[in-house]
Short mmCIF file of all heavy atoms in Angstrom, two decimals:
data_model
loop_
_atom_site.label_atom_id
_atom_site.label_comp_id
_atom_site.label_asym_id
_atom_site.label_seq_id
_atom_site.Cartn_x
_atom_site.Cartn_y
_atom_site.Cartn_z
N MET A 73 -239.46 -51.24 -38.91
CA MET A 73 -238.53 -51.99 -39.73
C MET A 73 -237.55 -52.72 -38.82
O MET A 73 -237.01 -52.14 -37.89
CB MET A 73 -237.79 -51.02 -40.66
CG MET A 73 -236.66 -51.69 -41.42
SD MET A 73 -235.75 -50.57 -42.47
CE MET A 73 -236.86 -50.45 -43.83
N GLU A 74 -237.32 -53.95 -39.09
CA GLU A 74 -236.39 -54.75 -38.30
C GLU A 74 -234.95 -54.38 -38.65
O GLU A 74 -234.58 -54.26 -39.81
CB GLU A 74 -236.61 -56.23 -38.58
CG GLU A 74 -235.72 -57.12 -37.74
CD GLU A 74 -235.93 -58.60 -38.04
OE1 GLU A 74 -236.85 -58.92 -38.79
OE2 GLU A 74 -235.16 -59.40 -37.51
N VAL A 75 -234.16 -54.18 -37.62
CA VAL A 75 -232.75 -53.87 -37.80
C VAL A 75 -231.97 -55.17 -37.78
O VAL A 75 -232.06 -55.93 -36.82
CB VAL A 75 -232.24 -52.92 -36.69
CG1 VAL A 75 -230.76 -52.68 -36.83
CG2 VAL A 75 -233.01 -51.62 -36.72
N THR A 76 -231.20 -55.43 -38.83
CA THR A 76 -230.46 -56.69 -38.90
C THR A 76 -228.95 -56.48 -38.84
O THR A 76 -228.22 -57.45 -38.68
CB THR A 76 -230.81 -57.44 -40.21
OG1 THR A 76 -230.49 -56.59 -41.32
CG2 THR A 76 -232.28 -57.82 -40.24
N ASP A 77 -228.48 -55.25 -38.99
CA ASP A 77 -227.05 -54.99 -38.91
C ASP A 77 -226.55 -55.36 -37.52
O ASP A 77 -227.14 -54.95 -36.52
CB ASP A 77 -226.76 -53.51 -39.19
CG ASP A 77 -225.27 -53.22 -39.14
OD1 ASP A 77 -224.63 -53.33 -40.19
OD2 ASP A 77 -224.76 -52.91 -38.05
N PRO A 78 -225.47 -56.15 -37.41
CA PRO A 78 -225.00 -56.61 -36.09
C PRO A 78 -224.63 -55.48 -35.14
O PRO A 78 -224.86 -55.59 -33.94
CB PRO A 78 -223.77 -57.46 -36.41
CG PRO A 78 -223.74 -57.67 -37.86
CD PRO A 78 -224.68 -56.70 -38.50
N ILE A 79 -224.07 -54.40 -35.65
CA ILE A 79 -223.70 -53.28 -34.78
C ILE A 79 -224.95 -52.61 -34.23
O ILE A 79 -225.07 -52.35 -33.04
CB ILE A 79 -222.81 -52.27 -35.53
CG1 ILE A 79 -221.47 -52.93 -35.89
CG2 ILE A 79 -222.61 -51.00 -34.71
CD1 ILE A 79 -220.62 -52.13 -36.82
N ALA A 80 -225.92 -52.33 -35.10
CA ALA A 80 -227.14 -51.66 -34.67
C ALA A 80 -228.01 -52.55 -33.79
O ALA A 80 -228.71 -52.07 -32.91
CB ALA A 80 -227.92 -51.19 -35.88
N ALA A 81 -227.96 -53.86 -34.01
CA ALA A 81 -228.80 -54.78 -33.25
C ALA A 81 -228.17 -55.19 -31.92
O ALA A 81 -228.82 -55.84 -31.10
CB ALA A 81 -229.09 -56.02 -34.09
N ALA A 82 -226.92 -54.79 -31.67
CA ALA A 82 -226.20 -55.23 -30.47
C ALA A 82 -226.83 -54.70 -29.18
O ALA A 82 -226.72 -55.34 -28.14
CB ALA A 82 -224.74 -54.80 -30.54
N ARG A 83 -227.47 -53.56 -29.25
CA ARG A 83 -228.13 -53.01 -28.08
C ARG A 83 -229.21 -52.04 -28.51
O ARG A 83 -229.33 -51.72 -29.68
CB ARG A 83 -227.12 -52.34 -27.15
CG ARG A 83 -226.43 -51.15 -27.74
CD ARG A 83 -225.41 -50.57 -26.78
NE ARG A 83 -225.14 -49.20 -27.21
CZ ARG A 83 -224.88 -48.22 -26.40
NH1 ARG A 83 -224.82 -48.41 -25.12
NH2 ARG A 83 -224.66 -47.02 -26.86
N ARG A 84 -229.97 -51.53 -27.57
CA ARG A 84 -231.07 -50.62 -27.87
C ARG A 84 -230.54 -49.19 -28.00
O ARG A 84 -229.77 -48.73 -27.17
CB ARG A 84 -232.11 -50.69 -26.75
CG ARG A 84 -233.31 -49.84 -27.01
CD ARG A 84 -234.30 -50.00 -25.87
NE ARG A 84 -235.28 -48.97 -25.92
CZ ARG A 84 -236.47 -49.10 -26.50
NH1 ARG A 84 -236.79 -50.24 -27.04
NH2 ARG A 84 -237.32 -48.11 -26.51
N TYR A 85 -230.97 -48.49 -29.04
CA TYR A 85 -230.57 -47.12 -29.29
C TYR A 85 -231.80 -46.23 -29.38
O TYR A 85 -232.86 -46.67 -29.82
CB TYR A 85 -229.81 -47.00 -30.62
CG TYR A 85 -228.49 -47.71 -30.64
CD1 TYR A 85 -228.38 -49.01 -31.15
CD2 TYR A 85 -227.35 -47.11 -30.15
CE1 TYR A 85 -227.16 -49.66 -31.16
CE2 TYR A 85 -226.13 -47.75 -30.16
CZ TYR A 85 -226.05 -49.03 -30.67
OH TYR A 85 -224.84 -49.68 -30.68
N ASP A 86 -231.65 -44.96 -28.99
CA ASP A 86 -232.72 -43.99 -29.20
C ASP A 86 -232.83 -43.65 -30.68
O ASP A 86 -233.91 -43.39 -31.20
CB ASP A 86 -232.47 -42.70 -28.41
CG ASP A 86 -232.57 -42.93 -26.91
OD1 ASP A 86 -233.36 -43.80 -26.49
OD2 ASP A 86 -231.87 -42.24 -26.16
N TYR A 87 -231.70 -43.65 -31.35
CA TYR A 87 -231.65 -43.37 -32.79
C TYR A 87 -230.45 -44.09 -33.38
O TYR A 87 -229.37 -44.06 -32.80
CB TYR A 87 -231.51 -41.86 -33.04
CG TYR A 87 -231.30 -41.53 -34.51
CD1 TYR A 87 -232.38 -41.45 -35.37
CD2 TYR A 87 -230.03 -41.32 -35.01
CE1 TYR A 87 -232.20 -41.17 -36.71
CE2 TYR A 87 -229.83 -41.04 -36.35
CZ TYR A 87 -230.92 -40.95 -37.20
OH TYR A 87 -230.73 -40.68 -38.52
N ALA A 88 -230.64 -44.72 -34.50
CA ALA A 88 -229.53 -45.37 -35.21
C ALA A 88 -229.75 -45.16 -36.70
O ALA A 88 -230.88 -45.15 -37.18
CB ALA A 88 -229.47 -46.86 -34.88
N ASP A 89 -228.68 -44.99 -37.42
CA ASP A 89 -228.75 -44.80 -38.86
C ASP A 89 -227.51 -45.42 -39.49
O ASP A 89 -226.49 -45.59 -38.82
CB ASP A 89 -228.79 -43.31 -39.19
CG ASP A 89 -229.61 -43.02 -40.44
OD1 ASP A 89 -229.74 -43.92 -41.30
OD2 ASP A 89 -230.12 -41.90 -40.56
N ALA A 90 -227.60 -45.77 -40.73
CA ALA A 90 -226.46 -46.37 -41.42
C ALA A 90 -226.45 -45.86 -42.86
O ALA A 90 -227.50 -45.62 -43.45
CB ALA A 90 -226.57 -47.89 -41.40
N PHE A 91 -225.26 -45.71 -43.39
CA PHE A 91 -225.08 -45.27 -44.76
C PHE A 91 -224.03 -46.15 -45.41
O PHE A 91 -223.05 -46.54 -44.79
CB PHE A 91 -224.60 -43.81 -44.79
CG PHE A 91 -225.54 -42.87 -44.10
CD1 PHE A 91 -225.38 -42.58 -42.76
CD2 PHE A 91 -226.61 -42.31 -44.78
CE1 PHE A 91 -226.25 -41.72 -42.11
CE2 PHE A 91 -227.49 -41.45 -44.14
CZ PHE A 91 -227.30 -41.15 -42.80
N GLU A 92 -224.24 -46.43 -46.67
CA GLU A 92 -223.28 -47.22 -47.43
C GLU A 92 -222.81 -46.40 -48.61
O GLU A 92 -223.60 -45.73 -49.28
CB GLU A 92 -223.93 -48.51 -47.93
CG GLU A 92 -223.00 -49.38 -48.73
CD GLU A 92 -223.67 -50.66 -49.19
OE1 GLU A 92 -224.90 -50.70 -49.31
OE2 GLU A 92 -222.94 -51.63 -49.45
N LEU A 93 -221.53 -46.42 -48.85
CA LEU A 93 -220.94 -45.70 -49.97
C LEU A 93 -220.32 -46.72 -50.90
O LEU A 93 -219.42 -47.47 -50.50
CB LEU A 93 -219.88 -44.72 -49.45
CG LEU A 93 -219.16 -43.89 -50.49
CD1 LEU A 93 -220.14 -43.00 -51.26
CD2 LEU A 93 -218.09 -43.05 -49.82
N ARG A 94 -220.82 -46.77 -52.12
CA ARG A 94 -220.27 -47.72 -53.11
C ARG A 94 -219.35 -46.96 -54.06
O ARG A 94 -219.75 -45.97 -54.66
CB ARG A 94 -221.39 -48.39 -53.88
CG ARG A 94 -222.21 -49.31 -53.02
CD ARG A 94 -223.33 -49.95 -53.82
NE ARG A 94 -224.14 -50.75 -52.94
CZ ARG A 94 -224.20 -52.06 -53.01
NH1 ARG A 94 -223.52 -52.72 -53.91
NH2 ARG A 94 -224.97 -52.73 -52.18
N LEU A 95 -218.15 -47.44 -54.19
CA LEU A 95 -217.14 -46.82 -55.04
C LEU A 95 -216.79 -47.74 -56.19
O LEU A 95 -216.96 -48.96 -56.10
CB LEU A 95 -215.88 -46.51 -54.22
CG LEU A 95 -216.09 -45.64 -52.98
CD1 LEU A 95 -214.81 -45.58 -52.15
CD2 LEU A 95 -216.53 -44.24 -53.39
N GLU A 96 -216.29 -47.16 -57.25
CA GLU A 96 -215.89 -47.97 -58.41
C GLU A 96 -214.68 -48.84 -58.12
O GLU A 96 -214.47 -49.86 -58.76
CB GLU A 96 -215.60 -47.05 -59.60
CG GLU A 96 -216.84 -46.37 -60.13
CD GLU A 96 -216.54 -45.46 -61.31
OE1 GLU A 96 -215.41 -45.50 -61.85
OE2 GLU A 96 -217.46 -44.73 -61.70
N GLY A 97 -213.86 -48.44 -57.17
CA GLY A 97 -212.67 -49.20 -56.83
C GLY A 97 -212.23 -48.87 -55.42
O GLY A 97 -212.89 -48.13 -54.71
N PRO A 98 -211.11 -49.42 -55.01
CA PRO A 98 -210.60 -49.15 -53.66
C PRO A 98 -210.37 -47.65 -53.44
O PRO A 98 -210.04 -46.92 -54.37
CB PRO A 98 -209.28 -49.91 -53.60
CG PRO A 98 -209.35 -50.90 -54.71
CD PRO A 98 -210.24 -50.30 -55.76
N ASP A 99 -210.55 -47.24 -52.21
CA ASP A 99 -210.33 -45.84 -51.86
C ASP A 99 -209.28 -45.77 -50.77
O ASP A 99 -209.20 -46.64 -49.91
CB ASP A 99 -211.63 -45.21 -51.36
CG ASP A 99 -211.51 -43.72 -51.19
OD1 ASP A 99 -211.62 -43.00 -52.19
OD2 ASP A 99 -211.28 -43.27 -50.05
N ARG A 100 -208.47 -44.73 -50.79
CA ARG A 100 -207.41 -44.59 -49.80
C ARG A 100 -207.92 -44.09 -48.45
O ARG A 100 -207.23 -44.14 -47.46
CB ARG A 100 -206.32 -43.66 -50.33
CG ARG A 100 -206.81 -42.26 -50.60
CD ARG A 100 -205.67 -41.34 -51.07
NE ARG A 100 -206.17 -40.03 -51.39
CZ ARG A 100 -206.45 -39.10 -50.49
NH1 ARG A 100 -206.28 -39.33 -49.22
NH2 ARG A 100 -206.91 -37.92 -50.87
N CYS A 101 -209.16 -43.59 -48.42
CA CYS A 101 -209.72 -43.05 -47.17
C CYS A 101 -210.47 -44.12 -46.38
O CYS A 101 -211.19 -44.93 -46.95
CB CYS A 101 -210.67 -41.90 -47.47
SG CYS A 101 -209.88 -40.49 -48.24
N SER A 102 -210.32 -44.07 -45.07
CA SER A 102 -211.07 -44.98 -44.20
C SER A 102 -212.47 -44.40 -43.97
O SER A 102 -212.72 -43.22 -44.24
CB SER A 102 -210.35 -45.09 -42.85
OG SER A 102 -210.44 -43.85 -42.15
N PRO A 103 -213.41 -45.20 -43.47
CA PRO A 103 -214.73 -44.67 -43.15
C PRO A 103 -214.65 -43.47 -42.19
O PRO A 103 -215.37 -42.49 -42.35
CB PRO A 103 -215.45 -45.85 -42.49
CG PRO A 103 -214.82 -47.05 -43.12
CD PRO A 103 -213.37 -46.66 -43.29
N GLU A 104 -213.74 -43.53 -41.22
CA GLU A 104 -213.59 -42.40 -40.29
C GLU A 104 -213.15 -41.14 -41.03
O GLU A 104 -213.66 -40.04 -40.75
CB GLU A 104 -212.59 -42.74 -39.19
CG GLU A 104 -212.44 -41.62 -38.18
CD GLU A 104 -211.53 -41.97 -37.02
OE1 GLU A 104 -211.32 -43.18 -36.75
OE2 GLU A 104 -211.04 -41.04 -36.37
N GLU A 105 -212.25 -41.27 -41.97
CA GLU A 105 -211.81 -40.10 -42.74
C GLU A 105 -212.96 -39.53 -43.57
O GLU A 105 -213.09 -38.31 -43.70
CB GLU A 105 -210.63 -40.47 -43.64
CG GLU A 105 -209.35 -40.73 -42.86
CD GLU A 105 -208.25 -41.34 -43.70
OE1 GLU A 105 -208.53 -42.24 -44.53
OE2 GLU A 105 -207.10 -40.91 -43.52
N TRP A 106 -213.82 -40.40 -44.12
CA TRP A 106 -214.98 -39.93 -44.86
C TRP A 106 -215.93 -39.14 -43.94
O TRP A 106 -216.43 -38.08 -44.31
CB TRP A 106 -215.74 -41.12 -45.48
CG TRP A 106 -215.18 -41.55 -46.79
CD1 TRP A 106 -214.32 -42.59 -47.01
CD2 TRP A 106 -215.44 -40.99 -48.07
NE1 TRP A 106 -214.03 -42.69 -48.34
CE2 TRP A 106 -214.71 -41.73 -49.02
CE3 TRP A 106 -216.23 -39.94 -48.51
CZ2 TRP A 106 -214.74 -41.44 -50.38
CZ3 TRP A 106 -216.26 -39.64 -49.87
CH2 TRP A 106 -215.52 -40.39 -50.78
N VAL A 107 -216.18 -39.67 -42.74
CA VAL A 107 -217.07 -38.99 -41.79
C VAL A 107 -216.49 -37.63 -41.41
O VAL A 107 -217.18 -36.61 -41.44
CB VAL A 107 -217.31 -39.85 -40.53
CG1 VAL A 107 -217.99 -39.04 -39.44
CG2 VAL A 107 -218.13 -41.07 -40.87
N ARG A 108 -215.23 -37.60 -41.05
CA ARG A 108 -214.59 -36.34 -40.66
C ARG A 108 -214.60 -35.32 -41.81
O ARG A 108 -214.84 -34.14 -41.59
CB ARG A 108 -213.18 -36.59 -40.15
CG ARG A 108 -213.17 -37.29 -38.80
CD ARG A 108 -211.75 -37.40 -38.23
NE ARG A 108 -211.74 -38.15 -37.01
CZ ARG A 108 -212.07 -37.65 -35.81
NH1 ARG A 108 -212.44 -36.39 -35.70
NH2 ARG A 108 -212.01 -38.41 -34.73
N ALA A 109 -214.34 -35.78 -43.03
CA ALA A 109 -214.36 -34.87 -44.18
C ALA A 109 -215.76 -34.30 -44.40
O ALA A 109 -215.93 -33.12 -44.69
CB ALA A 109 -213.88 -35.61 -45.44
N GLY A 110 -216.78 -35.14 -44.22
CA GLY A 110 -218.15 -34.66 -44.37
C GLY A 110 -218.53 -33.64 -43.32
O GLY A 110 -219.16 -32.62 -43.61
N VAL A 111 -218.14 -33.90 -42.08
CA VAL A 111 -218.42 -32.96 -40.99
C VAL A 111 -217.66 -31.66 -41.22
O VAL A 111 -218.20 -30.57 -41.08
CB VAL A 111 -218.07 -33.57 -39.62
CG1 VAL A 111 -218.13 -32.52 -38.52
CG2 VAL A 111 -219.01 -34.72 -39.30
N ASP A 112 -216.39 -31.76 -41.61
CA ASP A 112 -215.58 -30.57 -41.86
C ASP A 112 -216.15 -29.73 -43.00
O ASP A 112 -216.02 -28.51 -43.00
CB ASP A 112 -214.13 -30.95 -42.17
CG ASP A 112 -213.38 -31.47 -40.96
OD1 ASP A 112 -213.88 -31.30 -39.82
OD2 ASP A 112 -212.30 -32.06 -41.16
N ALA A 113 -216.77 -30.37 -43.99
CA ALA A 113 -217.31 -29.66 -45.14
C ALA A 113 -218.67 -29.01 -44.85
O ALA A 113 -219.16 -28.22 -45.65
CB ALA A 113 -217.44 -30.61 -46.33
N THR A 114 -219.28 -29.34 -43.73
CA THR A 114 -220.57 -28.77 -43.38
C THR A 114 -220.39 -27.29 -43.03
O THR A 114 -219.51 -26.94 -42.25
CB THR A 114 -221.18 -29.51 -42.16
OG1 THR A 114 -221.29 -30.89 -42.49
CG2 THR A 114 -222.55 -28.97 -41.81
N PRO A 115 -221.21 -26.42 -43.61
CA PRO A 115 -221.08 -25.00 -43.31
C PRO A 115 -221.20 -24.71 -41.82
O PRO A 115 -221.98 -25.35 -41.11
CB PRO A 115 -222.24 -24.36 -44.09
CG PRO A 115 -222.55 -25.33 -45.18
CD PRO A 115 -222.26 -26.69 -44.59
N THR A 116 -220.43 -23.74 -41.35
CA THR A 116 -220.40 -23.38 -39.93
C THR A 116 -221.77 -23.04 -39.40
O THR A 116 -222.12 -23.42 -38.28
CB THR A 116 -219.42 -22.21 -39.70
OG1 THR A 116 -218.14 -22.59 -40.20
CG2 THR A 116 -219.30 -21.87 -38.23
N TRP A 117 -222.58 -22.32 -40.18
CA TRP A 117 -223.89 -21.92 -39.67
C TRP A 117 -224.79 -23.13 -39.40
O TRP A 117 -225.58 -23.12 -38.47
CB TRP A 117 -224.56 -20.90 -40.60
CG TRP A 117 -224.97 -21.44 -41.95
CD1 TRP A 117 -224.21 -21.49 -43.09
CD2 TRP A 117 -226.22 -22.02 -42.29
NE1 TRP A 117 -224.91 -22.07 -44.11
CE2 TRP A 117 -226.16 -22.39 -43.67
CE3 TRP A 117 -227.40 -22.26 -41.60
CZ2 TRP A 117 -227.22 -22.98 -44.33
CZ3 TRP A 117 -228.46 -22.85 -42.27
CH2 TRP A 117 -228.37 -23.20 -43.62
N ILE A 118 -224.64 -24.19 -40.18
CA ILE A 118 -225.42 -25.41 -39.94
C ILE A 118 -224.93 -26.09 -38.66
O ILE A 118 -225.73 -26.57 -37.85
CB ILE A 118 -225.35 -26.37 -41.14
CG1 ILE A 118 -226.08 -25.76 -42.33
CG2 ILE A 118 -225.94 -27.74 -40.78
CD1 ILE A 118 -225.99 -26.57 -43.60
N LYS A 119 -223.61 -26.12 -38.46
CA LYS A 119 -223.06 -26.71 -37.23
C LYS A 119 -223.56 -25.94 -36.01
O LYS A 119 -223.88 -26.55 -34.99
CB LYS A 119 -221.53 -26.70 -37.27
CG LYS A 119 -220.93 -27.62 -38.32
CD LYS A 119 -219.42 -27.47 -38.34
CE LYS A 119 -218.79 -28.20 -39.48
NZ LYS A 119 -217.34 -27.98 -39.53
N ARG A 120 -223.63 -24.61 -36.11
CA ARG A 120 -224.12 -23.80 -34.98
C ARG A 120 -225.59 -24.10 -34.69
O ARG A 120 -225.99 -24.24 -33.54
CB ARG A 120 -223.92 -22.32 -35.25
CG ARG A 120 -222.55 -21.83 -34.89
CD ARG A 120 -222.52 -20.32 -34.79
NE ARG A 120 -222.82 -19.71 -36.07
CZ ARG A 120 -221.91 -19.21 -36.91
NH1 ARG A 120 -220.65 -19.23 -36.60
NH2 ARG A 120 -222.28 -18.68 -38.06
N ILE A 121 -226.41 -24.20 -35.74
CA ILE A 121 -227.83 -24.51 -35.55
C ILE A 121 -227.99 -25.87 -34.89
O ILE A 121 -228.83 -26.07 -34.01
CB ILE A 121 -228.58 -24.48 -36.90
CG1 ILE A 121 -228.68 -23.03 -37.39
CG2 ILE A 121 -229.95 -25.11 -36.78
CD1 ILE A 121 -229.22 -22.89 -38.80
N ALA A 122 -227.12 -26.82 -35.28
CA ALA A 122 -227.17 -28.16 -34.69
C ALA A 122 -226.61 -28.19 -33.28
O ALA A 122 -226.73 -29.19 -32.58
CB ALA A 122 -226.40 -29.14 -35.58
N GLY A 123 -225.99 -27.08 -32.85
CA GLY A 123 -225.45 -27.01 -31.50
C GLY A 123 -224.04 -27.54 -31.36
O GLY A 123 -223.57 -27.77 -30.25
N ASN A 124 -223.36 -27.77 -32.48
CA ASN A 124 -222.00 -28.30 -32.46
C ASN A 124 -221.12 -27.49 -33.40
O ASN A 124 -220.77 -27.94 -34.48
CB ASN A 124 -221.98 -29.78 -32.88
CG ASN A 124 -222.70 -30.67 -31.91
OD1 ASN A 124 -222.61 -30.47 -30.72
ND2 ASN A 124 -223.43 -31.62 -32.41
N ALA A 125 -220.74 -26.30 -32.97
CA ALA A 125 -219.94 -25.41 -33.82
C ALA A 125 -218.62 -26.03 -34.24
O ALA A 125 -218.06 -25.69 -35.28
CB ALA A 125 -219.71 -24.08 -33.12
N ASP A 126 -218.10 -26.99 -33.44
CA ASP A 126 -216.83 -27.63 -33.79
C ASP A 126 -217.02 -28.85 -34.68
O ASP A 126 -216.07 -29.53 -35.05
CB ASP A 126 -216.06 -28.02 -32.53
CG ASP A 126 -216.74 -29.12 -31.73
OD1 ASP A 126 -217.95 -29.34 -31.94
OD2 ASP A 126 -216.08 -29.74 -30.89
N GLY A 127 -218.23 -29.18 -35.02
CA GLY A 127 -218.49 -30.31 -35.91
C GLY A 127 -219.08 -31.50 -35.19
O GLY A 127 -220.29 -31.63 -35.08
N LEU A 128 -218.25 -32.36 -34.63
CA LEU A 128 -218.76 -33.56 -33.97
C LEU A 128 -219.27 -33.29 -32.56
O LEU A 128 -220.02 -34.10 -32.03
CB LEU A 128 -217.68 -34.65 -33.94
CG LEU A 128 -217.32 -35.26 -35.29
CD1 LEU A 128 -216.18 -36.25 -35.14
CD2 LEU A 128 -218.50 -35.92 -35.94
N GLY A 129 -218.89 -32.19 -31.96
CA GLY A 129 -219.38 -31.85 -30.63
C GLY A 129 -219.12 -32.94 -29.62
O GLY A 129 -218.00 -33.42 -29.49
N SER A 130 -220.17 -33.40 -28.94
CA SER A 130 -220.01 -34.41 -27.90
C SER A 130 -219.99 -35.84 -28.47
O SER A 130 -219.86 -36.80 -27.72
CB SER A 130 -221.14 -34.29 -26.88
OG SER A 130 -222.39 -34.53 -27.50
N VAL A 131 -220.12 -35.96 -29.77
CA VAL A 131 -220.09 -37.27 -30.41
C VAL A 131 -218.68 -37.84 -30.32
O VAL A 131 -217.70 -37.14 -30.54
CB VAL A 131 -220.53 -37.17 -31.89
CG1 VAL A 131 -220.35 -38.49 -32.60
CG2 VAL A 131 -221.95 -36.69 -31.99
N ARG A 132 -218.60 -39.12 -29.97
CA ARG A 132 -217.29 -39.75 -29.91
C ARG A 132 -217.29 -40.98 -30.80
O ARG A 132 -218.32 -41.61 -31.02
CB ARG A 132 -216.89 -40.10 -28.48
CG ARG A 132 -217.78 -41.10 -27.80
CD ARG A 132 -217.42 -41.23 -26.30
NE ARG A 132 -218.23 -42.27 -25.73
CZ ARG A 132 -217.86 -43.53 -25.58
NH1 ARG A 132 -216.65 -43.89 -25.94
NH2 ARG A 132 -218.65 -44.43 -25.07
N ILE A 133 -216.13 -41.28 -31.33
CA ILE A 133 -215.97 -42.45 -32.18
C ILE A 133 -215.69 -43.63 -31.27
O ILE A 133 -214.72 -43.63 -30.53
CB ILE A 133 -214.85 -42.24 -33.20
CG1 ILE A 133 -215.24 -41.10 -34.14
CG2 ILE A 133 -214.55 -43.52 -33.97
CD1 ILE A 133 -214.15 -40.64 -35.06
N VAL A 134 -216.59 -44.63 -31.30
CA VAL A 134 -216.42 -45.80 -30.43
C VAL A 134 -215.86 -47.00 -31.17
O VAL A 134 -215.42 -47.96 -30.54
CB VAL A 134 -217.74 -46.17 -29.71
CG1 VAL A 134 -218.15 -45.07 -28.77
CG2 VAL A 134 -218.85 -46.47 -30.70
N GLU A 135 -215.89 -46.95 -32.50
CA GLU A 135 -215.30 -48.03 -33.30
C GLU A 135 -214.93 -47.44 -34.65
O GLU A 135 -215.68 -46.65 -35.22
CB GLU A 135 -216.29 -49.17 -33.50
CG GLU A 135 -215.74 -50.31 -34.33
CD GLU A 135 -216.74 -51.45 -34.53
OE1 GLU A 135 -217.68 -51.57 -33.75
OE2 GLU A 135 -216.53 -52.20 -35.48
N SER A 136 -213.78 -47.81 -35.15
CA SER A 136 -213.36 -47.36 -36.47
C SER A 136 -212.39 -48.38 -37.03
O SER A 136 -211.38 -48.70 -36.42
CB SER A 136 -212.68 -45.98 -36.36
OG SER A 136 -212.27 -45.55 -37.63
N ASP A 137 -212.75 -48.94 -38.19
CA ASP A 137 -211.85 -49.86 -38.87
C ASP A 137 -211.99 -49.67 -40.37
O ASP A 137 -212.57 -48.68 -40.82
CB ASP A 137 -212.09 -51.31 -38.43
CG ASP A 137 -213.49 -51.82 -38.74
OD1 ASP A 137 -214.08 -51.39 -39.74
OD2 ASP A 137 -213.98 -52.69 -38.01
N ALA A 138 -211.51 -50.58 -41.15
CA ALA A 138 -211.51 -50.44 -42.60
C ALA A 138 -212.90 -50.54 -43.22
O ALA A 138 -213.09 -50.16 -44.37
CB ALA A 138 -210.60 -51.50 -43.22
N ALA A 139 -213.90 -51.00 -42.46
CA ALA A 139 -215.23 -51.19 -43.02
C ALA A 139 -216.31 -50.32 -42.38
O ALA A 139 -217.36 -50.13 -42.98
CB ALA A 139 -215.63 -52.65 -42.90
N VAL A 140 -216.05 -49.82 -41.17
CA VAL A 140 -217.13 -49.14 -40.46
C VAL A 140 -216.58 -48.11 -39.49
O VAL A 140 -215.47 -48.26 -38.98
CB VAL A 140 -218.01 -50.17 -39.71
CG1 VAL A 140 -217.25 -50.83 -38.59
CG2 VAL A 140 -219.29 -49.55 -39.19
N VAL A 141 -217.38 -47.08 -39.24
CA VAL A 141 -217.10 -46.15 -38.15
C VAL A 141 -218.40 -46.02 -37.35
O VAL A 141 -219.48 -45.87 -37.94
CB VAL A 141 -216.58 -44.78 -38.65
CG1 VAL A 141 -217.58 -44.07 -39.52
CG2 VAL A 141 -216.21 -43.89 -37.49
N VAL A 142 -218.30 -46.15 -36.04
CA VAL A 142 -219.47 -46.08 -35.17
C VAL A 142 -219.31 -44.86 -34.27
O VAL A 142 -218.30 -44.70 -33.59
CB VAL A 142 -219.61 -47.36 -34.31
CG1 VAL A 142 -220.82 -47.24 -33.39
CG2 VAL A 142 -219.73 -48.58 -35.19
N LEU A 143 -220.32 -43.99 -34.30
CA LEU A 143 -220.32 -42.78 -33.49
C LEU A 143 -221.35 -42.93 -32.38
O LEU A 143 -222.37 -43.60 -32.55
CB LEU A 143 -220.70 -41.56 -34.35
CG LEU A 143 -219.91 -41.37 -35.63
CD1 LEU A 143 -220.50 -40.22 -36.44
CD2 LEU A 143 -218.46 -41.09 -35.32
N GLU A 144 -221.09 -42.29 -31.25
CA GLU A 144 -222.01 -42.35 -30.12
C GLU A 144 -222.08 -40.98 -29.47
O GLU A 144 -221.06 -40.32 -29.30
CB GLU A 144 -221.52 -43.39 -29.12
CG GLU A 144 -222.43 -43.55 -27.92
CD GLU A 144 -221.94 -44.66 -27.01
OE1 GLU A 144 -221.10 -44.38 -26.14
OE2 GLU A 144 -222.38 -45.79 -27.21
N ASP A 145 -223.28 -40.58 -29.13
CA ASP A 145 -223.49 -39.32 -28.43
C ASP A 145 -224.29 -39.65 -27.18
O ASP A 145 -225.44 -40.05 -27.27
CB ASP A 145 -224.24 -38.32 -29.29
CG ASP A 145 -224.38 -36.95 -28.64
OD1 ASP A 145 -223.88 -36.77 -27.52
OD2 ASP A 145 -224.98 -36.08 -29.26
N GLY A 146 -223.68 -39.49 -26.04
CA GLY A 146 -224.32 -39.86 -24.78
C GLY A 146 -225.14 -38.75 -24.17
O GLY A 146 -225.62 -38.89 -23.06
N THR A 147 -225.35 -37.62 -24.88
CA THR A 147 -226.11 -36.52 -24.29
C THR A 147 -227.58 -36.76 -24.36
O THR A 147 -228.08 -37.54 -25.08
CB THR A 147 -225.78 -35.19 -24.99
OG1 THR A 147 -226.12 -35.29 -26.38
CG2 THR A 147 -224.35 -34.82 -24.81
#
């Protein structure tokens, strides 16, 4: 499948994924807050199996604004 999103197409990735959340109206949370809330809500045992007991582990946020959050894991 051809990737057309400008962020994903900017360079070569081993893995890239994107998710869109459609809301009925404006939301007070930024995309970064949504990501952090989702990671925080993940059960601890799943985080341990994934190798990141603290949630994001070695993943770092490389871009975050009102429309997008970009995560990168260099491991």
Side-chain angles (χ1 to χ4, degrees):
M73 172 182 282
E74 183 181 353
V75 176
T76 58
D77 181 90
I79 295 170
R83 63 182 200 146
R84 183 178 165 96
Y85 294 95
D86 292 329
Y87 173 82
D89 212 335
F91 302 91
E92 180 179 24
L93 180 61
R94 292 179 184 247
L95 304 171
E96 292 180 10
D99 189 81
R100 62 178 177 79
C101 296
S102 68
E104 182 176 339
E105 290 170 318
W106 275 98
V107 169
R108 290 186 184 279
V111 170
D112 289 346
T114 303
T116 303
W117 68 271
I118 292 176
K119 293 176 189 177
R120 275 197 297 260
I121 290 172
N124 295 321
D126 67 342
L128 291 176
S130 63
V131 174
R132 63 189 184 95
I133 296 171
V134 294
E135 180 180 339
S136 180
D137 61 31
V140 67
V141 62
V142 179
L143 308 174
E144 181 176 86
D145 185 1
T147 60

